[in-house]
């Protein structure tokens, strides 16, 4: 692609609304890749019929994965729904499927490509479906941070741990340097393993999951954690701060979960007496402390399924999932934790027109938007993923 320079322009209200709905693009933060060929119009009344026909024509040759945060119009065509790691493993368990159509975001499709066989091809219906959190930790930045630790004599005592929500490059870096991948549900086990290997952890890319796990589950203090800012010399930290730290947190966060505040929690408790506040561990530390229950996406779903009729729940996670849970459990009062709605704008880019386009192209024998990870990166990323699978209780 040709190099592109851009000048910041304050977006209009309409442009912002379109971005949140997945109909616009932000060239400063997204890949902004357009689909070649003819993308069906969102107003096409035959979209559901076209998707159904294309999927039927492909039969067992295609396996469609749908992340929990996807739109309902897309999730209805998923063969399996789940979080990112569950979906990647499900893809690997379907070797007969030539095509894995991943309705999620870029790093998820990369993980599927790493875990599936070379004969399988992974397709992302819209290449602009990225993850702002994953993009906050670029490989050159992480390598520079490792150089800082090396110069201080700390790298050999530091174990890198990366959240599943990271690029294949970062997973590969972690695998090359003796680290491990974690999910939001096994982060404690991953950190316990890491501290058996070394004295410190470099936790990538979500500061909140790292901090919440270290402090609330492992008994560390907030003073044991420092925040490494890749945009500042030496991460904005002194040599003493890095030497004293047990947890070196990367300055990254989820744009959806990071928006929930302590005020959100207090507000919903004032409005809804007896409400249960249930949040994802990607939320800010003070939000997690104030919540009644904290857990992964799968944990949130299981908790709501098991909750008694008549109970009230304010959930701090992506809106598509919260709305789906509310519709599935009309006997319970289920609401979004924040007053303002908030979809994951990049996850929301996978809409029915993109899915129809991708499936119909496969029917025509054209593999579009294929996601591939180079052999060396895939090997080392697989090392880090395999280490996660070898954790006790995995």
């Amino acid at each position: 692609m040709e190099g592109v320079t851009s000048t910041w322009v304050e977006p209009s209200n309409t442009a912002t609304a379109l971005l949140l709905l997945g109909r616009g693009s932000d060239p400063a933060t997204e890949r902004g890749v357009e689909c070649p060929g003819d993308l069906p119009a969102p107003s096409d009344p035959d979209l559901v019929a076209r998707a159904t026909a294309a999927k039927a024509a492909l039969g067992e040759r295609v396996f469609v994965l749908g992340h929990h945060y996807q739109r309902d119009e897309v999730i209805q065509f998923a063969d399996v729904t789940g979080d990112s790691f569950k979906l990647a493993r499900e893809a690997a368990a379907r070797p007969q499927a030539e095509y894995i159509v991943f309705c999620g975001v870029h790093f998820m499709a990369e993980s599927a490509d790493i875990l599936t066989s070379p004969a399988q091809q992974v397709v992302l219906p819209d290449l602009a479906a990225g993850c702002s959190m994953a993009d906050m930790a670029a490989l050159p930045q992480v390598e520079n941070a490792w150089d800082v630790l090396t110069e201080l004599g700390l790298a050999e005592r530091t174990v890198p741990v990366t959240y599943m929500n990271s690029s294949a490059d970062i997973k590969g870096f972690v695998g090359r340097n003796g680290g491990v991948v974690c999910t939001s549900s096994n982060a404690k086990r991953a950190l316990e393993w890491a501290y058996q290997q070394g004295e410190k952890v470099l936790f990538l890319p979500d500061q909140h999951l790292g901090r919440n796990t270290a402090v609330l589950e492992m008994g560390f203090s907030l003073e044991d954690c420092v925040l490494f800012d890749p945009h500042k010399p030496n991460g904005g930290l002194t040599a003493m701060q890095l030497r004293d730290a047990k947890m070196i947190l990367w300055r990254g966060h989820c744009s959806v979960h990071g928006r929930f505040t302590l005020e959100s929690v207090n507000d919903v408790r004032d409005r809804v007496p007896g409400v249960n506040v249930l949040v994802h561990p990607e939320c800010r530390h003070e939000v997690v402390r104030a919540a009644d229950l904290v857990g992964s996406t799968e944990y949130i779903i299981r908790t709501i399924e098991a909750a008694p009729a008549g109970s009230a729940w304010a959930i701090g996670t992506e809106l598509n999932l919260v709305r789906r849970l509310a519709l599935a459990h009309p006997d319970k009062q289920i609401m979004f934790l924040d007053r303002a709605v908030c979809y994951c704008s990049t996850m929301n880019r996978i809409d029915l027109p993109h899915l129809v386009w991708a499936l119909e192209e496969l029917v025509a024998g054209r593999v579009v938007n294929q996601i591939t990870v180079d052999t060396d990166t895939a090997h080392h990323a697989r090392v880090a993923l395999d280490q996660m699978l070898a954790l006790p209780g995995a």
Side-chain angles (χ1 to χ4, degrees):
M1 294 178 63
E2 296 292 329
V4 176
T5 58
S6 61
T7 302
W8 167 253
V9 177
E10 185 69 27
S12 66
N13 291 338
T14 299
T16 301
L18 289 173
L19 177 62
L20 291 173
L21 291 170
R23 301 293 186 191
S25 64
D26 180 359
T29 60
E30 299 179 4
R31 292 172 178 83
V33 177
E34 297 295 332
C35 292
D38 296 324
L39 188 68
S43 58
D44 186 339
D46 298 324
L47 286 176
V48 171
R50 289 173 63 177
T52 301
K55 195 163 182 282
L58 291 164
E60 291 192 355
R61 297 173 63 205
V62 70
F63 190 55
V64 179
L65 305 175
H67 191 272
H68 287 307
Y69 297 168
Q70 287 291 298
R71 304 160 178 259
D72 287 343
E73 67 185 51
V74 169
I75 213 79
Q76 66 180 312
F77 292 102
D79 294 301
V80 175
T81 60
D83 60 18
S84 59
F85 185 57
K86 173 188 172 182
L87 293 176
R89 293 184 75 179
E90 288 281 355
R94 299 295 196 285
Q96 72 275 17
E98 297 174 46
Y99 310 120
I100 307 297
V101 177
F102 209 127
C103 298
V105 294
H106 199 270
F107 79 81
M108 300 177 187
E110 287 183 327
S111 296
D113 184 60
I114 290 166
L115 292 175
T116 52
S117 73
Q120 295 174 288
Q121 299 176 84
V122 179
V123 169
L124 185 65
D126 187 349
L127 291 178
C131 171
S132 59
M133 180 204 295
D135 290 344
M136 289 177 191
L139 182 58
Q141 294 175 325
V142 175
E143 289 176 333
N144 287 339
W146 199 250
D147 288 342
V148 171
L149 297 178
T150 300
E151 290 169 8
L152 292 173
L154 301 176
E156 60 187 16
R157 293 184 278 152
T158 302
V159 178
V161 177
T162 190
Y163 189 21
M164 191 73 185
N165 298 28
S166 57
S167 69
D169 283 342
I170 298 304
K171 292 184 180 75
F173 169 88
V174 168
R176 282 191 297 272
N177 289 282
V180 65
V181 176
C182 75
T183 67
S184 55
S185 58
N186 69 12
K188 181 184 178 183
R189 293 198 299 274
L191 288 178
E192 288 173 340
W193 174 86
Y195 284 110
Q196 292 171 1
Q197 319 305 313
E199 301 172 12
K200 302 174 183 294
V201 163
L202 172 63
F203 193 90
L204 305 156
D206 181 24
Q207 59 170 302
H208 300 308
L209 177 62
R211 183 182 295 106
N212 291 329
T213 306
V215 175
L216 301 179
E217 296 192 52
M218 301 185 67
F220 287 11
S221 70
L222 288 173
E223 289 70 32
D224 291 326
C225 307
V226 295
L227 190 61
F228 192 100
D229 187 339
H231 302 291
K232 295 181 179 179
N234 297 324
L237 299 167
T238 66
M240 181 174 293
Q241 286 176 309
L242 286 167
R243 290 192 182 101
D244 291 344
K246 293 180 181 177
M247 279 283 287
I248 303 170
L249 303 168
W250 194 259
R251 192 178 183 86
H253 65 275
C254 170
S255 59
V256 172
H257 292 108
R259 70 172 285 111
F260 299 114
T261 64
L262 183 58
E263 288 73 24
S264 304
V265 177
N266 293 335
D267 176 67
V268 78
R269 290 197 192 281
D270 289 340
R271 289 187 288 113
V272 187
V275 70
N276 300 281
V277 177
L278 172 59
V279 303
H280 195 281
E282 290 176 21
C283 291
R284 302 181 191 191
H285 186 64
E286 60 269 23
V287 172
V288 169
R289 275 192 176 278
D292 298 298
L293 293 168
V294 183
S296 67
T297 302
E298 296 286 351
Y299 173 84
I300 290 172
I301 295 170
R302 292 196 306 270
T303 299
I304 296 301
E305 289 174 344
S311 56
W313 296 86
I315 305 179
T317 193
E318 207 273 343
L319 183 58
N320 275 315
L321 175 60
V322 177
R323 291 179 60 183
R324 195 170 298 126
L325 288 172
L327 290 172
H329 301 279
D331 60 328
K332 302 157 194 175
Q333 186 180 2
I334 298 172
M335 67 207 75
F336 194 56
L337 177 57
D338 197 8
R339 282 181 181 266
V341 300
C342 185
Y343 295 99
C344 175
S345 61
T346 50
M347 184 82 75
N348 227 35
R349 296 192 71 96
I350 307 293
D351 56 11
L352 195 49
H354 283 88
L355 178 59
V356 168
W357 170 76
L359 291 173
E360 289 182 343
E361 288 294 298
L362 292 176
V363 171
R366 295 184 291 269
V367 180
V368 295
N369 290 3
Q370 183 178 356
I371 302 299
T372 57
V373 179
D374 69 87
T375 303
D376 182 67
T377 299
H379 167 74
H380 289 102
R382 184 67 183 260
V383 168
L385 287 164
D386 285 344
Q387 181 57 63
M388 178 179 74
L389 294 174
L391 293 173

